Amino acid sequence: QVQLAESGGDLVQPGGSLTLSCVASGLTFRGYGLAWFRQAPGKEREFVAAIKATSGNVYYEDSVKGRFTMSRDNAKNTVTLQMNSLKPDDAAVYYCAAGRVISSSLRFPASYYYWGQGTQVTVSS
């Protein structure tokens, strides 16, 4: 059974930093593209960042470029999202996802087979 477990969500002040982690089990981790999505109340699930399985190339949503860094550790079956300079608009539930994606599809939630249950990020003073 495939499981993705996110952690690291918290309440942080604007301008602060958080690191989210996602540990995967039950799948051949290195063979999957991985992504972070987020969903705020009343809004659709939104692409944040993705990292491909083979190339390791990372793609970011425009609003997080330069502030967020995504990385993967295939030895630990872990993917992380380092978030700096957080803004109130970054507040959401953040989800980790895994799928066999290609470049043209990695921004779409439907491209991913497996999802974690999410971790809450709140940005507020």
Side-chain angles (χ1 to χ4, degrees):
Q1 182 179 0
V2 176
Q3 290 188 327
L4 301 177
E6 303 99 333
S7 62
D10 205 345
L11 168 65
V12 64
Q13 292 186 344
S17 298
L18 279 177
T19 300
L20 305 183
S21 296
C22 174
V23 180
S25 60
L27 77 170
T28 306
F29 185 80
R30 64 178 64 250
Y32 283 81
L34 302 161
W36 289 96
F37 287 80
R38 63 188 181 188
Q39 189 166 17
K43 295 187 177 182
E44 293 187 355
R45 193 163 295 191
E46 172 186 47
F47 171 78
V48 176
I51 186 166
K52 293 185 71 177
T54 50
S55 66
N57 289 344
V58 185
Y59 304 80
Y60 296 98
E61 195 268 331
D62 286 347
S63 69
V64 308
K65 283 181 181 177
R67 299 189 297 122
F68 291 11
T69 302
M70 184 177 182
S71 61
R72 64 188 297 163
D73 184 337
N74 290 336
K76 296 182 179 179
N77 284 14
T78 300
V79 60
T80 61
L81 185 68
Q82 173 66 43
M83 305 187 295
N84 298 324
S85 302
L86 283 161
K87 305 175 181 179
D89 284 350
D90 295 317
V93 177
Y94 282 69
Y95 297 91
C96 172
R100 297 191 185 276
V101 296
I102 58 176
S103 298
S104 61
S105 67
L106 53 80
R107 296 174 184 270
F108 302 102
S111 300
Y112 294 86
Y113 308 144
Y114 305 112
W115 291 83
Q117 293 195 340
T119 185
Q120 178 72 52
V121 172
T122 303
V123 184
S124 175
S125 56

